[in-house]
Amino acid sequence: MFRIVLISALAAIAVEATPRNRAGVPQLDGRIVGGEDTQIEDYPHQISLQYLDTHTCGGSIIARNLILTAAHCTADYGVYFLSIRYGSSIMEKGGFVLKVGEKYVHPSYDAFTTDYDLSILKLSGNIELSSKAQIIKLVPSLTPEGGRHAFVTGWGALYMDGPYPQQLQVAKVHEEDRDACGEVYPGKITDRMICFKAAGKDSCQGDSGGPLVSGDAQIGVVSWGRGCADARYPGVYSHINNAELRKYIVKHIDLYATN
């Protein structure tokens, strides 16, 4: 999330709730906090978004040539700097690498509020589907909010400003009531956001753009939060079932997805 977790009073807000960062690359969430090692075969939709061949964010396979990630992972970077690694449990090793050909940052993305934090990447070639690389379904459009548990995956920091793991991590988190989340982040939770948390577990810097999955469908994209795994502050995810965000994703799948 800006986690990779996300100027007077505005500067203070930016410090407390910002995309999660890594020196020299986009401000993204680091790693999964409180998670455990997992294998790419268990989460074959997961990819590593690379900036100058270095992991910087997560993402998910939504078509053989399309990746869903966060806008804050891609907005400030030319596609010639970006590539994805897929089919590997290990950060920056194994699997296959494809260059990004085009990027489609949601036109309403706001870098200050992190609203509409969604980006779609069109690859220069097609992903070879296998047990280690699979397309993730989007959450069904009529799925209600509330009471869900989900799994978040990534290679982000193990704790705030901590080291990054080599092995893919996974953590189980639970949906936070929208009103309760809004009380923790006054005035910052929009209809394009959902909140999840769990004791001692969270996404962090380097996890930004990665998938939040419930059942067999993706329901969110790691976006932002205050710190990593702070019990008081849920992680905030782009809400795939929001009508505006869903329409944007489906539109690009219809336009650009290859069979």
Side-chain angles (χ1 to χ4, degrees):
M1 305 156 84
F2 274 163
R3 277 163 153 180
I4 313 166
V5 160
L6 252 193
I7 281 191
S8 62
L10 299 184
I13 291 173
V15 169
E16 293 184 354
T18 54
R20 292 168 176 183
N21 305 344
R22 180 176 180 179
V25 296
Q27 295 184 340
L28 310 173
D29 279 336
R31 151 200 176 195
I32 300 295
V33 177
E36 57 187 40
D37 290 355
T38 191
Q39 299 296 324
I40 197 66
E41 289 88 345
D42 294 326
Y43 300 93
H45 51 273
Q46 175 81 44
I47 62 91
S48 167
L49 176 60
Q50 300 184 324
Y51 173 78
L52 294 175
D53 301 319
T54 300
H55 172 79
T56 189
C57 279
S60 57
I61 302 169
I62 57 171
R64 290 183 63 204
N65 63 331
L66 297 177
I67 300 298
L68 180 62
T69 188
H72 75 261
C73 292
T74 67
D76 297 331
Y77 297 87
V79 294
Y80 36 88
F81 292 124
L82 300 175
S83 60
I84 67 122
R85 184 182 296 275
Y86 73 91
S88 177
S89 303
I90 308 302
M91 183 174 67
E92 298 173 5
K93 292 183 180 179
F96 302 91
V97 175
L98 284 172
K99 298 294 291 184
V100 173
E102 298 178 48
K103 67 174 182 178
Y104 304 99
V105 176
H106 198 289
S108 297
Y109 168 61
D110 187 318
F112 182 72
T113 64
T114 324
D115 203 2
Y116 294 90
D117 191 16
L118 207 69
S119 183
I120 295 171
L121 305 177
K122 184 180 179 183
L123 304 176
S124 60
N126 288 335
I127 289 171
E128 292 295 328
L129 301 180
S130 70
S131 63
K132 297 183 178 182
Q134 290 290 320
I135 295 166
I136 184 72
K137 296 189 300 185
L138 301 182
V139 58
S141 59
L142 298 180
T143 302
E145 283 187 46
R148 294 172 291 183
H149 70 265
F151 293 89
V152 59
T153 47
W155 290 273
L158 297 172
Y159 51 85
M160 188 66 181
D161 298 323
Y164 285 57
Q166 290 298 303
Q167 185 72 32
L168 181 64
Q169 301 289 300
V170 61
K172 183 178 182 179
V173 290
H174 305 278
E175 191 165 10
E176 175 76 326
D177 177 79
R178 177 172 292 277
D179 291 339
C181 191
E183 291 177 4
V184 173
Y185 297 116
K188 298 179 179 62
I189 304 302
T190 73
D191 289 343
R192 274 75 56 189
M193 302 174 190
I194 49 175
C195 304
F196 279 72
K197 68 177 184 179
K201 299 179 181 181
D202 198 2
S203 52
C204 194
Q205 292 98 348
D207 290 321
S208 286
L212 179 72
V213 173
S214 182
D216 61 353
Q218 185 169 352
I219 64 173
V221 174
V222 179
S223 183
W224 64 276
R226 180 174 179 178
C228 302
D230 185 323
R232 299 168 295 175
Y233 301 102
V236 184
Y237 298 77
S238 296
H239 184 14
I240 285 178
N241 227 3
N242 169 267
E244 294 172 280
L245 297 190
R246 187 182 188 87
K247 180 179 179 181
Y248 188 76
I249 298 169
V250 171
K251 170 187 173 183
H252 285 79
I253 291 175
D254 289 344
L255 284 173
Y256 301 118
T258 56
N259 296 323

